[in-house]
Amino acid sequence: MTELEGLAGRLREFARAREWEQFHTPKNLVMALAGEVGELVAEFQWLTADESADPGPEALARMRTELGDVTLYLVRLADVLGVDLVEAARAKLDDNERRYDADSYRGSARKAPPLPG
């Protein structure tokens, strides 16, 4: 069992023990995820690029908490939907490698055209 699978199982049991499965619909989970991402964004909102790359210990502690919240909701959402997050990420990275070949996109932030189909 991977660490991610273990975390998903622990979250599943956490929800089951509190009878929260009824609230953990994909819609509710994605909305909660978006809210937590918003809280993470708020931690960075007024920082300069340099400050965001090297936040102080208090800011970093808040960021760590928000990253934890985002991770928990993302893992729970994937579990409820039956999506293997690691496989989904690998597939997306494979797509990105095809869309953004290193020679054509090195040092560029331009967007690639959509994949056909």
Side-chain angles (χ1 to χ4, degrees):
M1 174 183 301
T2 68
E3 285 191 52
L4 198 55
E5 290 167 335
L7 181 59
R10 187 172 168 197
L11 279 165
R12 203 177 309 122
E13 182 52 37
F14 181 87
R16 184 177 301 126
R18 289 154 182 81
E19 297 182 355
W20 286 355
E21 299 101 324
Q22 63 186 318
F23 308 116
H24 286 192
T25 64
K27 178 196 78 73
N28 288 354
L29 290 167
V30 79
M31 291 175 71
L33 174 60
E36 294 301 337
V37 169
E39 291 179 19
L40 179 59
V41 168
E43 290 298 330
F44 287 87
Q45 185 171 8
W46 302 115
L47 301 180
T48 65
D50 288 342
E51 289 169 336
S52 72
D54 188 21
E58 289 149 15
L60 186 58
R62 291 191 307 273
M63 291 169 183
R64 184 177 190 272
T65 296
E66 297 308 333
L67 284 164
D69 287 339
V70 167
T71 302
L72 291 176
Y73 277 114
L74 180 61
V75 169
R76 182 70 177 136
L77 175 62
D79 187 49
V80 167
L81 291 173
V83 171
D84 180 325
L85 268 179
V86 173
E87 179 52 39
R90 285 183 178 136
K92 182 60 180 171
L93 185 54
D94 290 345
D95 286 345
N96 286 346
E97 285 176 336
R98 283 189 292 278
R99 290 180 70 197
Y100 297 96
D101 68 277
D103 290 335
S104 298
Y105 286 89
R106 187 171 290 110
S108 171
R110 76 183 194 284
K111 188 104 168 117
L115 290 174

